[in-house]
Amino acid sequence: MRFVNVSWDNFSKRFEVSKAAWDTHERNFPMLRETLLPNFDQTYSAFMEDLDARGLLDETLVVTMGEMGRTPKINAKGGRDHWTFCYSVLLAGAGIQGGTIYGASDEQAAYIKDKPVHIRDICATIYHLLGIDPEMPVYDRANRPVAVAHGGQPITGVLA
């Protein structure tokens, strides 16, 4: 099993390329419109098309997510701050039913309205698609068994 992790790097500390990172505490909308979304759209679609053309999409799980969502309210600097109550995850390939939308937020994108999913369920789904039993025990420092997905269940509504 091979894994590749791709992170969106903010080069502003090393090179003066861009100050735009997904942590949009200020200038959220211009940063999304001018840099973040066009670059993501181009890169993601090219990657997915390449995987599909090479016949690798059925065996490659693509997970696009961050560690939290963004506040539904805009702050004084035109940004959105950290928000842990509601956020999106994009799953594709390797057993995911394409075009599926699972769950919904309220009209403010502040709280989960329908089909809540816990991070442990996202982990269980990833493990399941990788052929790893979400209930597989891993052992803590006291040699106690803990299920690798901490009790999460695969999200069957997104599986092909």
Side-chain angles (χ1 to χ4, degrees), residues 91-128:
L91 301 171
I96 297 295
Q97 178 64 44
T100 301
I101 297 172
Y102 187 89
S105 69
D106 62 13
E107 60 281 347
Q108 301 291 312
Y111 298 99
I112 298 165
K113 176 179 161 185
D114 185 38
K115 300 180 184 170
V117 172
H118 193 279
I119 188 66
R120 64 181 163 250
D121 300 322
I122 296 166
C123 292
T125 304
I126 293 168
Y127 289 137
H128 170 79

Side-chain angles (χ1 to χ4, degrees), residues 21-29 31-32 66-88 108-110:
W22 291 96
D23 202 16
T24 57
H25 292 284
E26 57 187 69
R27 300 186 58 246
N28 177 76
F29 298 105
M31 286 171 45
L32 288 171
E67 76 280 17
M68 66 187 69
R70 310 305 292 177
T71 53
K73 296 189 182 201
I74 307 306
N75 67 26
K77 293 182 179 180
R80 295 175 69 194
D81 297 315
H82 297 169
W83 189 255
T84 59
F85 301 102
C86 188
Y87 60 97
S88 300
Q108 301 291 312

Side-chain angles (χ1 to χ4, degrees), residues 37-86:
L37 293 175
N39 285 313
F40 176 78
D41 286 347
Q42 181 180 22
T43 304
Y44 185 83
S45 63
F47 180 58
M48 296 301 288
E49 288 172 8
D50 186 54
L51 287 173
D52 189 40
R54 293 171 184 250
L56 297 171
L57 189 55
D58 289 340
E59 63 185 60
T60 305
L61 177 62
V62 180
V63 180
T64 307
M65 64 184 288
E67 76 280 17
M68 66 187 69
R70 310 305 292 177
T71 53
K73 296 189 182 201
I74 307 306
N75 67 26
K77 293 182 179 180
R80 295 175 69 194
D81 297 315
H82 297 169
W83 189 255
T84 59
F85 301 102
C86 188

Side-chain angles (χ1 to χ4, degrees), residues 112-160:
I112 298 165
K113 176 179 161 185
D114 185 38
K115 300 180 184 170
V117 172
H118 193 279
I119 188 66
R120 64 181 163 250
D121 300 322
I122 296 166
C123 292
T125 304
I126 293 168
Y127 289 137
H128 170 79
L129 292 168
L130 293 174
I132 298 169
D133 179 3
E135 296 299 319
M136 179 184 79
V138 292
Y139 295 88
D140 66 13
R141 290 183 178 181
N143 206 30
R144 295 175 296 199
V146 179
V148 70
H150 292 272
Q153 298 297 311
I155 308 163
T156 57
V158 301
L159 302 178

